[in-house]
Amino acid sequence: LYFSTPEKQPFSFTELSRRWDLQRGIFFGFTPAQAGFNFQAQLYRLVRLSGKTYLFVDDLAKIQADAGLKKLLWEGMKEMFER
């Protein structure tokens, strides 16, 4: 599921995950608070809570311009989708 909000408007990922039974979320340019969570997360580090996995990263434009950030995103995604 791809989800976008105008101008990083806050939303509730918990509500979305209930509606579509989402188990993972990658958040480009959003903080956990903007996604409706009550925790802090370090960018590019997986957060595992209640059987779900989250990855918070910089916005896509910033990642596109920086090879180091691309690598961090790739590493996080590989870890997120390992079985």
Side-chain angles (χ1 to χ4, degrees):
L1 172 68
Y2 171 78
F3 176 76
S4 177
T5 65
E7 300 180 24
K8 296 188 178 131
Q9 182 177 344
F11 65 97
S12 172
F13 183 78
T14 302
E15 182 62 35
L16 291 174
S17 67
R18 279 189 211 133
R19 185 176 295 165
W20 286 293
D21 191 31
L22 303 175
Q23 300 302 309
R24 298 177 187 95
I26 301 174
F27 300 85
F28 292 90
F30 284 90
T31 65
Q34 289 170 316
F37 295 113
N38 190 24
F39 61 79
Q40 294 185 359
Q42 186 174 352
L43 292 179
Y44 301 95
R45 297 280 177 118
L46 292 182
V47 175
R48 290 186 172 100
L49 291 172
S50 302
K52 299 187 186 310
T53 306
Y54 310 105
L55 181 62
F56 292 86
V57 299
D58 290 301
D59 65 64
L60 198 51
K62 187 172 182 178
I63 294 169
Q64 287 176 329
D66 187 315
L69 295 180
K70 287 178 188 177
K71 183 177 179 181
L72 289 173
L73 173 60
W74 178 243
E75 293 300 319
M77 290 174 65
K78 286 192 313 187
E79 185 179 350
M80 176 180 263
F81 291 100
E82 284 180 343
R83 295 230 174 218

